[in-house]
Amino acid sequence: MSDGITLRRAGPADHDVLGTVMYDAVHNGPSRYSEAQRRAWVPEPRRGPDWDARLGGQIIMLAEHEGEIAGFMSLAPPDYVDFAYIRPAWQGSGLFRQLYTEIEGIARQNGQTRLTVHASLMAQPAFSAVGFAITTPETVEVRGEKLDRFAMEKRLER
């Protein structure tokens, strides 16, 4: 299903649609979180000055198919994978791995020797599949809801 995908770096003009992709992935994809937890995590598509500021300092790779953004992943320098969201229709298509390969390549070019992430219950298997190991299971509170996640790390060999 990943045929016809174009990977490119996102810019400020893409920020609002990235918020919509994130919302779609959390609310419409398979989930191990309750509806209340998903509403707390992403109550609405992110946009606006705070969202722009958060994304502005990151390297963001996105995947497009026929003009639609299918997913994105970001690297917050120097070594933190901050966002990794794939629209439900594209989950299981290999798109996560394609985006991750680009992000890891950028990290390596920048001289990084490791990558870290806080992975949701849904993202943890995908990060494990590309070589990340769980360092700490965590529970965070977001808008009154407790969400389980995993701190993970991958060492990048030279």
Side-chain angles (χ1 to χ4, degrees):
M1 189 170 185
S2 60
D3 289 341
I5 284 287
T6 301
L7 300 181
R8 68 171 173 86
R9 284 201 185 188
D14 299 305
H15 290 179
D16 285 354
V17 74
L18 297 181
T20 301
V21 170
M22 180 179 177
Y23 182 88
D24 189 23
V26 171
H27 287 274
N28 300 313
S31 184
R32 293 178 52 201
Y33 296 106
S34 71
E35 185 61 38
Q37 288 172 314
R38 288 183 280 163
R39 275 193 310 269
W41 180 5
V42 185
E44 60 189 18
R46 293 186 182 177
R47 61 178 42 96
D50 290 343
W51 180 238
D52 288 339
R54 173 108 181 243
L55 295 178
Q58 299 190 32
I59 298 165
I60 305 165
M61 293 302 301
L62 61 77
E64 281 184 308
H65 181 260
E66 296 179 359
E68 178 183 313
I69 304 218
F72 74 102
M73 191 174 293
S74 73
L75 179 65
D79 64 3
Y80 184 66
V81 180
D82 194 11
F83 295 101
Y85 291 95
I86 308 296
R87 286 194 190 267
W90 289 90
Q91 292 175 8
S93 70
L95 190 55
F96 178 96
R97 187 175 292 271
Q98 287 180 274
L99 287 166
Y100 174 74
T101 298
E102 293 293 316
I103 290 293
E104 182 179 308
I106 292 165
R108 286 179 181 278
Q109 288 173 357
N110 292 339
Q112 295 308 307
T113 57
R114 73 175 192 144
L115 287 172
T116 62
V117 68
H118 287 99
S120 70
L121 296 176
M122 288 79 57
Q124 178 271 318
F127 278 106
S128 290
V130 294
F132 279 75
I134 295 170
T135 56
T136 311
E138 300 176 335
T139 300
V140 295
E141 188 168 327
V142 179
R143 296 179 185 87
E145 292 290 327
K146 293 185 187 310
L147 287 84
D148 292 331
R149 69 179 189 183
F150 301 94
M152 301 181 76
E153 178 179 271
K154 180 179 180 179
R155 295 283 175 190
L156 304 179
E157 296 181 15
R158 298 216 169 228

